[in-house]
Amino acid sequence: MKQEALCLSELAPGQTARIVALHTAGSMRRRLQDIGLVENTCVRCLGRSPGGDPSAYLIRGAVIAIRAADCRDILICPE
């Protein structure tokens, strides 16, 4: 049974997921790919800022902060 894809913004701190797809285009898509967000990449949510935005993620050994608006375009499958 295949799980339904979620947005990266729905990943809770401490949870891990795999990238399924990027639903963005242009320079933002390129930036996300440049930081390692490509299909099948493992991502772990490390936490959220006190205001709730942005959130910190561990991506290929680097800690990256991503805004919730950008996370909505990143589809994941929780592990």
Side-chain angles (χ1 to χ4, degrees), residues 4-74:
E4 188 174 321
L6 303 172
C7 295
L8 184 59
S9 59
E10 297 177 65
L11 195 64
Q15 287 186 316
T16 303
R18 290 214 175 265
I19 302 297
V20 175
L22 296 178
H23 286 276
T24 186
S27 63
M28 179 51 79
R29 180 180 183 87
R30 182 65 191 180
R31 289 177 116 177
L32 293 173
Q33 290 174 329
D34 286 347
I35 62 171
L37 285 172
V38 294
E39 194 173 319
N40 289 323
T41 298
C42 186
V43 177
R44 180 180 182 94
C45 182
L46 299 177
R48 303 195 194 298
S49 70
D53 194 29
S55 295
Y57 299 94
L58 183 63
I59 304 166
R60 296 180 184 246
V63 177
I64 307 291
I66 305 175
R67 297 177 297 185
D70 297 325
C71 287
R72 289 187 200 107
D73 296 327
I74 304 168

